[in-house]
Structure formats: C-alpha cells, structure tokens
Amino acid sequence: TTHTPEFLGLNSSVATDLTEEAKYGEDVIIGVLDTGVWPERASFLDHKMGPIPARWLGGCADEESFSASLCNRKLIGAKYFAKGYEAATGPVNTTVEFKSARDGEGHGTHTASTAAGRMVSKASLLGFAEGVARGMASKARLAVYKVCWESGCYDSDILAAFDEAVADGVDVISLSVGGGVVPYYLDPIAIGAYGAMKKGVFVSCSAGNSGPGSLTVTNVAPWITTVAASTIDRSFPATVTLSGGDEFQGTSLYSGPDLGDSLHPLIYAVNASKAGVNAYSASLCLDGTLDPAKVKGRIVLCDRGSNARVAKGQVVKAAGALGMILANLPVDGEGLVADSHVLPATAVGAKAGAKIKDYILSTKSPKANILFRGTVYGVQPAPVISSFSSRGPNPETPEVLKPDITAPGVNILAAWTGAAAPTGLEGDNRTVEFNIISGTSMSCPHISGIAALLKGARPGWSPAMIKSAIMTSAYVVDNTGAPLADEATGNVSTPFAYGAGHVDPQRAMNPGLVYDLEVADYIKFLCALNYSQAAIRVIDPDVGACPTKIGSPSELNYPSFSTLFDQTGSSSAMLETTFSRTVTNVGPANSTYTVDVVGPKNVKITVSPSILEFTEENQKLHYTMKVSAPPVKLPPGTIGSAFGFVAWTDGIHVVQSPIVINW
Amino acid sequence: SDLGVRTYIVQMAQTQQPVVFNSHQSWYESTFHAVKQMRHTQSVFAVNELDGILHTYSTVFQGFAARLTEAEAEAMRLRPGVMAAYPEQVRQLH
C-alpha cells in the first residue's frame, strides 16, 4: 500500500521502531485465504530475503496456470481449494477462472500485498496515490490459499485451507471473507480459527461491509481479531459544479480526458428511461434502462444501489452520456468510495445528491461539470469510521464487543491481478499493476501484517497477547484531536463501529499490560454460552465436562468490556454487573499503574484495586470492575447502549479498553 | 436423486476410531459409504470424485466434507464416531 505505512507511523525511525525490531516480519509466515495471488507482481519479489524458515512445511502446487517455480523466498506457499466449490456448482470453468492459486479476481493479490508486500517504488493506479507501496510486514513470508471462486467462498474449502495452512506452519492467518452469523459450532471460520489459535496462530478477519446498521458485524468469535475499516488522510476529490455556482465535493479515481471547462447538460436518470422501462430501474442506471436519445451528450445522475457502482458508469457510457454523478441515497449516508470509472464520473453523498436532484427539478436547462483534482493528502478529519464498515453489537455474543479494532480500509492502493481491470468489468480492458479499492477486506490485512510484525518482535506472545496489545494501544481521536467520527452521520462514532479504536502499531509493540487468554479460558467461555457438550466439542474435541458452576460470557479475560442488562422498566433498583480481569505485565519489572475511568452519565463504574503494583516482568495481577446502571425501559426490540473507557497508566503506557453497556 | 444434496462438514471423534482402520481416511470413507449404502440399495455413489469425500481435515478439525442429502446427514449423525454434521455456507469477499 502507499501512504498507510506513514499514516500508521510505520516509517518512523525511533529507537524502538517496530519494523526494525521485527526485522520487517522476516521470520514470520502469513497465510492469506482469499482469491489467490498474481505472483509476478513486484510486491512478491524476494530480493535480499534470507532462507525460508526451516520449520515451513508448505509449498506451491504446480499447475498449468501457476508453475511452482513462481514461488520464491517471499511467496513460499500457493495452494487452491476448489472441491467444495466444484461439488456445488460444477467443474471450474477454466475459460473464466484459473484452476490454480493464480488470482483472476484481484482481491487476493490486493490483500496479500497489503499484509506483506515488498517495497515497490512509483506505485500508483493510473497516477493516483503514487508513492512507495509496501505491505505492513514487508519481509514476512506469504503463503496464499485460494478459497474464493466466481460464485463465492465455500465453507468446506475454507476449512480445508485453515487445516492446511496451520499444518504448513503459518503464524498469522488473514481472512477477508464472511457471511451470516451463526453459533460458533456451526461456523467453519470460527472452528478453523479456534484450531489455529490453539496452535498459536493469530487469526484476523474482516468485520463485514454491511454498515452502518447495528448488529451487522460478522466473524465475531472471541479468538478472532475482527477488523473494522476507516479512512486515511488521503482522498481523491472530484467536485461537481452546477450552473448556479454551487459546488459539491465528490470522489473519483477516473483517469482520462476530462470534461473541459464548460458546463454540460445534466439529467437525472429517472427522467431518461427507455420506453417500457420503469423509472426506478432507470434511476439506478441498470443495464439496458437508459434511452440513448435522452442521455447522449449529457452528464447523468444515477442513484446508488442494486448494481455495481462502476457498472453504472459502463451503462451510462454505453448509452452515449458524457459523464456521471453517482449519488448516495439516504440509506447510504455520506460515505463515499472512489472508483476508477470508465467515463468521467464522481460519487457524492446523500445530502449533495438530494440537492443536485432539487437543482435538476427546479432548473429549466440544468448544467454541470466535474472537476477531477487528483490525490490530496492531509485530509481532516482522519481517520473516520467508514459508513460501510459493519457494526456491533455482536449478534452472537453481545457480552464480547465486536469489532475489535479499526484499520485503514477506504481507498487502499495495493497490488492487483493481471487478469482483470481495476473495475472488474468485462468490457473494461485496462490492466494495472496496482488498484485502489475499499472494504473491511482491506483493513483486515493491515492488522494481519501488524500482527506479523508483533510476532516477529515478540515471538513469545500468544495470539491473545498480540490482540490485546493491538487493542489496548489503539486511539480514539482523529487528527484534529476530536473523537473519531462516523462517516455515515458525521457525528461522533462509538465502540460499536471502531471497537477499541484505531490501530497504532508502534504503541502496540510496548503495550505495558496485556490481557492474555488460554484455551481453558475459551472453554469456560463456551460453557458460559450454555452450548451443549456436543456443540462445544465441535469447536474443541479435547474439552471435558463444563464445571457445574458456569459463569457469564463477559467474564472472558477480554481487552474490552461489554454487558447486557435486561430492560426492567418496572423496577427502580440499579442494575449491576462485575467484570473480573487479569493483566500481565509485559513492561518493566517495577511498574505502578493507576486506573482512570470515564463512564456514561448515570452509570457508576468502580474499579478495585485502583492501583496495580507490579514487581516482576510477566507478573499477573487481578482487578474487578463493577458497573451500576439505572433500569431502562425501551420500546420492544430496541437496544439501548452507553459507552465508556477504562485506562491503566504508569505514566508511559496507557492501557485503554472500551466499556459498552447494553440494555 | 441429487435433489436436496448439499455439502456437509462432518466431525469425527478420533478417540472412537476402530482399530480395524489403519488411517483416519479409511475410517471416514467407510463411514461415508455406509451411510450412502443405507440410502441406496445399489451402489450408485462415487460416480466421480466429487460424489465422494471432498476434503479430509486433520489439523484444526477432525473429519471430512461430503455431499449428502438431509436424510443422509441425519443418518450420518447416528453413525458411531460421528460428533456432528452440518451444512456449509457460502461466504463472500468483503
């Protein structure tokens, strides 16, 4: 990626520089379960890399479309898993996709290079976002496991890839894929990730792109690190100018001849439908809905939704239009994603879209232009939690806050396949070495790479310690000093959107204290979920009987706090819950930490003891946190939530956790 | 006969593997074929590779994936050593 290393502080040269101490992840192996890889990209070159770790048992499958000789000391594994896919849909159509680890889609090449791509200078997408591209752990070894195909990613193949990756010896697994939330014992991603965790492998997964609605987060098992997406301080503005002089800020990655200086006739697609086509379909610029006679030589405003954003551009261009304005609907809010459209086009938020539509309705001869302003840095505020990023509460276990952490996931440049255009459209014949795309798929591999750096710098840390370090060192203010904002509303965001906050890799290396978790802790957690013994044994076949006294899922020694109160409107008694936590000192031996709590109004939070005095490294100390909240009665089906933070500090480290109270 | 066939992920209890089998794989295949034979009076299964066991798991999970009808999955759950059998989902890129 370009710019996200700088945005994350990974280019600093301070003495404790994470990248240096971790040797850029050289001893660490990242397994990426995705659409495969385009191995010829410069991001996967192996110059100046030492021998492959001797413990590595994996390799590269030799196929017609992916010779094993393409693997090297960087790309050390490349396998594909298609039997589940083929059983469901028929044999892989090799005229459409590669029956090998070769990536015909682009997504897997992008995620793999984001996690661990080598440094490549003068990287850009058609001139946008130019700079030195590199992954978070630029010397980590990559092993790719192709599990996603034309019609999706099949559980049986995903589980096979988990099985193989762990057997091969990966240290980190990155999975930017998801589906519906089901109990953990019915979820092969949760099961596979548990088995990986048990063998010391850190697993990070994308939270999903179903935001900004609540209860949309996926990949929510507590042994997974669930990653939300945010913007960085870089944008690609493309401004809409109307004949009256009004301007609306949009975003675009269009690269080609612009629309010149003059204004052009503007039409709302709803008024440009072909005979016999309903206006609603036309408003979305669905294929075959626009009347060329009505759009020729004009800029067309299309509503977002139904078909791909870039496909709308293709439809508009095919109908003979000059350009396109893609307007969010109220449901989309103000979140914008830049696309490399096939004609001059820009995306605008719902408010701007409504105003432009009003202008079209109220103007006899509406006219507009689009000004493309390239790449802009230093954008404020940043980061902002992306509108699309899936939100909590955790639908499966509300006592465990999800997502866990936020990382850059909007307009991320990384390597791309040679087999697909940047838009992914069939009629788009452009080929690029790098592409800019958005999603929690893009934020997830940032965390995977950072976890690889931490694993390299702190080889003795468990997956839970790495996760804790990443979470408790995260920040919750943007580059203006204000609380992290929500792109969907423009208001202050919450831990349901960002989890513990935005990742700060340098601080994660020296977290001071960590919340560790062992297999036994997860088993207690599973018992607390009231799962049957048979269900628990699907996740962990080695487990014995649950204890007769089972606790609450919120007792898991997690680096965040979440509780669920009944809505007891008739009672006036305060609602109470007590969390118990154990922290391990991974900082200097003699360290004294004091607690600071910020709670919501009317909620009393007390921590005992309020001072933790450590005398040894790796010493464990316990504390409890009591939350007393007033009873609340809400309309049926409504969840009420309030938020706070608890932070332990020794004057150097700040070990911060979000607190979520749900009624 | 393919109506209602889905891919199921079947978990096996390794501690219950009969000594007669010298590998997990052969035990899984025997279990799979036993269920298929119960459902079909003639041996019509295993016409091609994808009608048999699709994947065998041994590191993060113990078991296999195979195409089964719901009735076969129910029969599978009753076989000795089978801990669970549940249908797969299809996931999408994020």
Side-chain angles (χ1 to χ4, degrees):
Chain A
T1 72
T2 52
H3 195 56
T4 61
E6 292 84 354
F7 186 72
L8 293 166
L10 284 173
N11 279 8
S12 73
S13 54
V14 293
T16 56
D17 186 69
L18 173 58
T19 46
E20 292 288 339
E21 198 161 338
K23 293 190 287 179
Y24 297 87
E26 186 158 14
D27 299 329
V28 183
I29 302 163
I30 302 176
V32 180
L33 280 52
D34 211 298
T35 62
V37 69
W38 194 265
E40 293 86 355
R41 289 293 176 242
S43 300
F44 308 116
L45 293 174
D46 68 350
H47 55 279
K48 293 185 182 172
M49 288 193 69
I52 295 167
R55 61 192 169 81
W56 177 242
L57 300 175
C60 296
D62 198 24
E63 298 290 336
E64 194 179 328
S65 57
F66 193 119
S67 165
S69 64
L70 290 166
C71 286
N72 55 27
R73 283 170 294 164
K74 174 68 181 178
L75 183 62
I76 64 173
K79 298 177 180 177
Y80 68 96
F81 301 84
K83 286 182 178 172
Y85 170 56
E86 290 189 306
T89 67
V92 171
N93 179 352
T94 54
T95 64
V96 176
E97 53 187 333
F98 300 109
K99 192 173 179 182
S100 72
R102 184 173 289 281
D103 178 15
E105 208 277 350
H107 188 276
T109 303
H110 201 280
T111 55
S113 60
T114 298
R118 300 302 304 280
M119 287 192 189
V120 183
S121 59
K122 292 191 176 175
S124 79
L125 167 65
L126 307 168
F128 289 101
E130 186 173 315
V132 176
R134 70 174 182 88
M136 299 302 104
S138 57
K139 281 193 171 179
R141 318 291 173 148
L142 273 168
V144 299
Y145 300 85
K146 181 170 172 177
V147 296
C148 293
W149 304 85
E150 280 283 310
S151 66
C153 324
Y154 288 72
D155 273 350
S156 57
D157 295 332
I158 293 172
L159 188 57
F162 265 107
D163 210 57
E164 191 95 352
V166 174
D168 286 346
V170 302
D171 301 298
V172 172
I173 288 177
S174 189
L175 179 66
S176 291
V177 158
V181 174
V182 294
Y184 305 130
Y185 57 86
L186 295 176
D187 180 356
I189 292 178
I191 293 166
Y194 184 94
M197 172 277 298
K198 215 173 159 182
K199 293 184 183 295
V201 177
F202 178 93
V203 180
S204 49
C205 294
S206 47
N209 302 336
S210 302
S214 61
L215 290 159
T216 50
V217 63
T218 65
N219 295 323
V220 293
W223 46 88
I224 290 172
T225 298
T226 312
V227 190
S230 59
T231 65
I232 55 175
D233 64 344
R234 179 180 69 188
S235 70
F236 308 99
T239 309
V240 176
T241 307
L242 304 180
S243 61
D246 285 341
E247 289 191 348
F248 299 96
Q249 194 73 268
T251 186
S252 180
L253 295 170
Y254 168 72
S255 173
D258 61 23
L259 294 169
D261 296 331
S262 59
L263 294 165
H264 304 276
L266 173 66
I267 187 169
Y268 182 18
V270 78
N271 301 320
S273 61
K274 260 185 185 168
V277 172
N278 69 58
Y280 174 68
S281 298
S283 72
L284 296 166
C285 297
L286 302 182
D287 194 17
T289 61
L290 299 180
D291 182 348
K294 294 176 182 170
V295 303
K296 192 174 180 190
R298 295 170 184 259
I299 295 172
V300 180
L301 185 144
C302 304
D303 285 331
R304 190 169 169 187
S306 291
N307 56 340
R309 298 181 304 272
V310 288
K312 292 176 194 288
Q314 200 172 41
V315 169
V316 169
K317 185 179 183 186
L322 277 182
M324 178 179 72
I325 299 168
L326 177 56
N328 280 359
L329 293 173
V331 69
D332 307 306
E334 301 305 307
L336 297 179
V337 177
D339 293 303
S340 50
H341 292 285
V342 294
L343 84 171
T346 186
V348 297
K351 289 176 189 166
K355 285 179 181 169
I356 299 170
K357 286 174 203 171
D358 284 347
Y359 160 79
I360 294 171
L361 278 173
S362 62
T363 309
K364 196 173 174 188
S365 298
K367 288 186 175 179
N369 200 352
I370 305 171
L371 176 66
F372 298 93
R373 293 170 51 208
T375 309
V376 171
Y377 296 90
V379 172
Q380 290 185 321
V384 173
I385 308 304
S386 80
S387 186
F388 62 74
S389 192
S390 290
R391 314 296 163 98
N394 178 341
E396 179 62 16
T397 318
E399 296 88 348
V400 174
L401 175 64
K402 290 283 177 173
D404 292 308
I405 190 72
T406 300
V410 179
N411 299 333
I412 303 301
L413 179 141
W416 196 245
T417 174
T423 57
L425 296 171
E426 268 188 27
D428 184 355
N429 295 319
R430 295 174 296 178
T431 56
V432 292
E433 300 233 338
F434 293 88
N435 196 9
I436 296 174
I437 53 174
S438 301
T440 52
S441 277
M442 285 64 247
S443 57
C444 172
H446 278 88
I447 294 298
S448 310
I450 290 163
L453 291 177
L454 290 169
K455 184 85 180 166
R458 306 282 183 259
W461 282 8
S462 68
M465 291 168 83
I466 293 172
K467 175 186 194 166
S468 175
I470 290 172
M471 287 174 66
T472 63
S473 61
Y475 61 86
V476 293
V477 292
D478 61 32
N479 58 4
T480 70
L484 290 176
D486 189 327
E487 189 184 40
T489 62
N491 298 328
V492 172
S493 191
T494 74
F496 280 152
Y498 57 68
H502 191 280
V503 65
D504 185 339
Q506 293 286 2
R507 287 194 57 223
M509 192 169 70
N510 289 304
L513 307 176
V514 291
Y515 296 81
D516 197 7
L517 282 163
E518 295 174 356
V519 169
D521 299 306
Y522 290 118
I523 291 170
K524 274 191 215 164
F525 166 80
L526 293 169
C527 290
L529 293 179
N530 284 323
Y531 282 1
S532 69
Q533 279 306 107
I536 295 174
R537 285 195 182 121
V538 173
I539 299 164
D540 191 335
D542 301 328
V543 71
C546 284
T548 48
K549 185 180 174 238
I550 54 171
S552 158
S554 61
E555 287 175 15
L556 186 71
N557 196 41
Y558 213 69
S560 60
F561 297 83
S562 180
T563 190
L564 187 62
F565 288 128
D566 286 334
Q567 292 175 19
T568 53
S570 58
S571 167
S572 59
M574 291 291 276
L575 303 165
E576 288 187 348
T577 193
T578 301
F579 297 94
S580 177
R581 291 288 190 270
T582 301
V583 282
T584 306
N585 178 26
V586 293
N590 293 302
S591 303
T592 301
Y593 283 83
T594 56
V595 75
D596 187 21
V597 179
V598 179
K601 247 185 190 174
N602 303 327
V603 175
K604 189 179 173 194
I605 302 173
T606 51
V607 176
S608 178
S610 59
I611 296 176
L612 295 173
E613 290 191 55
F614 294 90
T615 55
E616 296 171 35
E617 286 179 21
N618 298 313
Q619 184 183 356
K620 293 178 188 291
L621 291 176
H622 308 277
Y623 74 91
T624 58
M625 184 169 74
K626 188 174 170 184
V627 177
S628 305
V632 169
K633 188 164 189 179
L634 298 166
T638 312
I639 299 172
S641 303
F643 308 96
F645 289 92
V646 57
W648 292 94
T649 181
D650 62 350
I652 299 167
H653 307 94
V654 179
V655 188
Q656 179 168 288
S657 300
I659 305 167
V660 178
I661 300 141
N662 300 299
W663 288 268
Chain B
S1 62
D2 280 348
L3 288 177
V5 175
R6 300 179 65 179
T7 298
Y8 281 77
I9 293 169
V10 180
Q11 187 187 26
M12 303 294 283
Q14 294 309 299
T15 54
Q16 293 179 39
Q17 180 178 323
V19 290
V20 66
F21 297 107
N22 56 13
S23 72
H24 299 329
Q25 181 75 27
S26 57
W27 181 37
Y28 299 164
E29 281 177 4
S30 169
T31 303
F32 171 75
H33 287 289
V35 165
K36 285 286 179 182
Q37 276 176 326
M38 279 168 59
R39 300 287 304 163
H40 303 281
T41 51
Q42 294 177 340
S43 188
V44 294
F45 54 86
V47 179
N48 64 50
E49 184 191 13
L50 297 175
D51 290 327
I53 286 178
L54 302 173
H55 292 294
T56 300
Y57 309 111
S58 58
T59 308
V60 298
F61 186 76
Q62 308 296 325
F64 60 91
R67 300 285 285 174
L68 301 169
T69 63
E70 196 176 329
E72 288 167 345
E74 199 50 53
M76 183 68 78
R77 292 185 188 106
L78 300 173
R79 296 290 304 173
V82 175
M83 296 175 72
Y86 56 95
E88 75 172 354
Q89 285 189 67
V90 184
R91 317 290 181 135
Q92 299 300 328
L93 297 167
H94 278 158

